């Protein structure tokens, strides 16, 4: 073979892969990296004379619930960054609880941490009820460590094959893939501003002059503090006209989506790239990266039903199983999401779809007719369903089970 001749590989043409195939390749890449890190940890334990070397083959996070969750996570993530152990396979332990992490505890850890970090009261992100999207809060406060933690959190979730429950606009994922924000990106996050700027581009010279605009913008720099910022040097002395209107819109766009939140985004990106910098991730388009990180919102429970495995005496045609799916398909969207959360630990749909849950969804018999509630092993996507004697009893017990679906204790 000629040394100048390169081997052909479909990996050089990522556009031929669908999102699910890209996700499978990324998962293999991450598993190889985790195996290498685990092997390195074992070798360090065997051959290193340094007693301070971390010999554990896993990245173990021991955290408390509630007000201490962010603080505990922040301290241990910083420690892992300093010791370069973020790439180890993740294990999570909630202090005071007996749950063993085979995947399900991690899911709840990510869900609870996201809930804390993305709470507007925490001061890091804004949330617009009208568009249902989070965005970085423009501020002079130094919270780079916290924003880097959020980036690491998303990277850890992708690296360990979990999806997170937050809602960022697509422009964030465009920025993470190296694309420059454009005017159209404002529409999803700031629809009113996009509408007003679009009208401005259509105005006559007289109408623009009547608006009295110049190349400045008012920016919130703290909690309620407003500061006027130049969009370009000397912007306060430059009036907006027909000739420079497009430049004004472009600079306004870059201010909203880049300059005003640059310290926060830079820290976030730095954390994200600590784990998500492999070759396979570069194949993803922004829309695909969003699906990978956050999962989809389109529920196809018929696909889940068709892919479900039945065990311990149940079959697809068992009366209780049929009642169960009849009840599920009659639920509203919120009920279906609660059920998905109850069984899998998340109400989001993986990038490969519900028919390709890993491990597959299983329904098993849990004894005969009783007053017991259905239970689930979220780490195995495994539903334990008693053999109820009536559809009404099944509906009642399932409703109650969904109401109490949080926490990891052993019965």
């Amino acid at each position: 073979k000629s040394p100048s001749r390169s081997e052909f590989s479909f990996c050089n043409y990522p556009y031929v892969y669908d999102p699910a195939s890209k996700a499978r390749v990324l998962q293999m890449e991450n598993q190889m990296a985790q195996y290498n890190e685990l092997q390195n940890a074992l070798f360090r334990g065997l051959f290193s004379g340094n007693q301070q070397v971390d010999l554990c083959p896993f990245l173990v996070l021991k955290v408390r619930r509630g007000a201490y969750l962010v603080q505990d996570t922040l301290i241990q993530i910083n420690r892992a960054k300093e010791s370069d152990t973020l790439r180890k396979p993740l294990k999570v332990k909630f202090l005071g609880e007996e749950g063993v992490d085979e995947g399900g505890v991690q899911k709840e850890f990510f869900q609870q941490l996201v809930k804390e970090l993305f709470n507007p009261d925490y001061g890091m992100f804004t949330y617009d009820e009208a568009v249902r999207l989070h965005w970085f809060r423009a501020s002079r406060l130094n919270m780079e460590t916290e924003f880097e933690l959020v980036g690491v959190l998303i990277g850890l979730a992708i690296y360990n094959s979990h999806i997170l429950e937050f809602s960022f606009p697509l422009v964030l994922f465009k920025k993470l893939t190296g694309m420059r924000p454009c005017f159209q990106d404002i529409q999803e996050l700031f629809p009113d501003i996009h509408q007003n700027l679009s009208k401005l581009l259509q105005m006559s010279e007289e109408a623009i002059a009547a608006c009295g605009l110049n190349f400045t913008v008012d920016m919130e720099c703290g909690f309620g503090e407003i500061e006027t910022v130049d969009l370009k040097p000397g912007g306060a002395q430059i009036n907006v006209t027909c000739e420079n209107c497009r430049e004004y819109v472009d600079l306004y766009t870059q201010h909203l989506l880049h300059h005003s939140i640059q310290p926060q985004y830079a820290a976030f990106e730095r954390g994200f790239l600590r784990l998500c910098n492999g070759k396979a991730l570069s194949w993803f388009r922004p829309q695909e990266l969003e699906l990978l990180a956050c999962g989809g919102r389109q529920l196809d429970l018929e696909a889940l039903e068709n892919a479900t495995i039945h065990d311990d005496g149940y079959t697809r045609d068992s009366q209780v199983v049929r009642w169960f799916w009849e009840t599920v398909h009659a639920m509203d969207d919120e009920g279906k999401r609660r059920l998905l959360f109850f069984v899998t630990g998340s109400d989001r749909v993986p990038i490969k779809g519900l028919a390709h849950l890993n491990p597959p969804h299983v329904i098993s018999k849990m004894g005969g007719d009783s007053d017991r509630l259905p239970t689930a092993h979220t780490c195995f996507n495994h539903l334990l369903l008693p053999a109820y004697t009536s559809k009404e009893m099944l509906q009642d017990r399932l409703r109650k089970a969904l109401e109490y679906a949080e926490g990891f204790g052993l019965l």
Side-chain angles (χ1 to χ4, degrees):
K1 173 182 165 181
S2 171
S4 62
R5 187 176 179 183
S6 60
E7 292 186 6
F8 173 82
S9 173
F10 280 111
C11 293
N12 295 324
Y13 307 94
Y15 55 83
V16 303
Y17 292 100
D18 63 11
S21 298
K22 293 178 183 179
R24 281 192 287 269
V25 174
L26 177 66
Q27 186 177 28
M28 288 188 290
E29 182 183 74
N30 289 341
Q31 287 173 343
M32 290 174 60
Q34 290 177 344
Y35 174 79
N36 291 335
E37 189 61 40
L38 187 149
Q39 192 176 51
N40 290 339
L42 293 177
F43 277 123
R44 285 196 298 269
L46 288 172
F47 301 112
S48 175
N50 184 357
Q51 299 298 317
Q52 301 301 317
V53 172
D54 182 6
L55 306 182
C56 180
F58 299 99
L59 170 61
V60 182
L61 300 180
K62 299 179 180 179
V63 297
R64 294 167 289 179
R65 291 184 183 272
Y68 298 101
L69 181 61
V70 173
Q71 177 185 345
D72 290 351
T73 304
L74 188 61
I75 292 172
Q76 294 174 72
I77 289 295
N78 281 331
R79 191 180 301 147
K81 284 177 357 190
E82 293 170 0
S83 59
D84 197 26
T85 57
L86 283 174
R87 291 188 179 275
K88 291 181 178 181
L90 179 65
K91 295 288 183 182
V92 176
K93 170 68 177 176
F94 281 110
L95 296 177
E97 300 184 23
E98 300 176 4
V100 177
D101 188 9
E102 294 294 339
V105 181
Q106 292 177 42
K107 291 179 184 179
E108 186 170 15
F109 163 74
F110 283 119
Q111 290 159 359
Q112 296 301 316
L113 190 58
V114 164
K115 193 179 298 183
E116 291 292 327
L117 289 172
F118 284 82
N119 186 335
D121 295 338
Y122 201 74
M124 295 177 62
F125 298 95
T126 61
Y127 182 75
D128 190 327
E129 290 284 354
V131 296
R132 298 185 177 182
L133 291 172
H134 293 98
W135 192 238
F136 301 90
R137 184 186 294 277
S139 173
R140 302 295 187 202
L141 297 176
N142 183 2
M143 299 185 72
E144 289 192 14
T145 303
E146 287 83 355
F147 280 105
E148 186 173 353
L149 170 63
V150 178
V152 170
L153 168 69
I154 296 174
L156 268 179
I158 292 175
Y159 188 69
N160 289 276
S161 301
H162 292 287
I163 53 180
L164 299 178
E165 298 185 35
F166 59 76
S167 300
F168 272 123
L170 183 62
V171 66
L172 172 70
F173 301 96
K174 291 180 67 173
K175 287 165 70 72
L176 288 172
T177 54
M179 299 174 65
R180 181 182 174 87
C182 65
F183 175 54
Q184 195 61 34
D185 293 323
I186 295 180
Q187 186 172 18
E188 183 183 13
L189 186 58
F190 305 109
D192 292 339
I193 294 177
H194 179 270
Q195 183 180 36
N196 292 335
L197 291 177
S198 298
K199 291 179 180 178
L200 183 66
L201 291 171
Q202 305 299 321
M203 287 183 179
S204 64
E205 181 71 46
E206 294 76 14
I208 293 176
C211 292
L213 298 174
N214 55 26
F215 277 70
T216 63
V217 62
D218 290 335
M219 167 185 167
E220 183 177 344
C221 58
F223 291 89
E225 299 178 22
I226 304 297
E227 177 181 314
T228 299
V229 178
D230 286 344
L231 294 176
K232 61 187 295 187
Q237 284 73 49
I238 304 174
N239 293 325
V240 177
T241 64
C242 269
E243 288 73 22
N244 61 21
C245 186
R246 169 54 67 178
E247 180 189 13
Y248 171 78
V249 169
D250 291 341
L251 290 175
Y252 203 125
T253 299
Q254 294 307 311
H255 168 79
L256 283 177
L257 302 180
H258 181 67
H259 299 298
S260 64
I261 48 95
Q262 178 57 20
Q264 295 83 1
Y265 173 77
F268 169 88
E269 183 185 56
R270 185 167 61 249
F272 179 80
L273 293 178
R274 282 186 178 273
L275 286 163
C276 295
N277 55 7
K279 175 68 174 177
L281 197 71
S282 66
W283 297 355
F284 287 80
R285 297 181 295 114
Q287 296 87 344
E288 296 168 342
L289 184 57
E290 181 180 20
L291 272 178
L292 182 68
C294 309
R297 302 292 292 177
Q298 190 68 36
L299 297 181
D300 184 1
L301 292 185
E302 289 186 1
L304 180 63
E305 178 182 2
N306 292 332
T308 295
I309 298 171
H310 304 90
D311 201 0
D312 293 335
Y314 278 154
T315 69
R316 179 183 178 88
D317 295 322
S318 297
Q319 184 65 68
V320 174
V321 173
R322 286 161 50 194
W323 284 339
F324 171 78
W325 286 113
E326 288 171 7
T327 301
V328 168
H329 291 310
M331 291 178 176
D332 59 16
D333 189 66
E334 179 62 27
K336 292 176 180 178
R337 296 196 183 282
R338 289 180 67 86
L339 173 74
L340 188 61
F341 175 85
F342 177 73
V343 176
T344 70
S346 172
D347 69 350
R348 301 294 180 95
V349 180
I351 192 171
K352 301 174 190 177
L354 290 176
H356 299 280
L357 289 178
N358 185 27
H361 179 227
V362 177
I363 298 180
S364 294
K365 182 184 290 187
M366 187 174 67
D369 182 38
S370 71
D371 288 334
R372 296 185 65 182
L373 302 180
T375 60
H377 300 304
T378 56
C379 48
F380 301 113
N381 300 327
H382 192 166
L383 176 66
L384 302 176
L385 189 65
Y388 300 115
T389 55
S390 71
K391 185 176 180 180
E392 291 73 20
M393 179 177 285
L394 182 147
Q395 291 172 333
D396 177 71
R397 300 300 184 269
L398 182 60
R399 176 184 57 80
K400 290 179 179 177
L402 299 186
E403 291 175 356
Y404 309 139
E406 188 169 316
F408 278 86
L410 296 180
L411 299 178

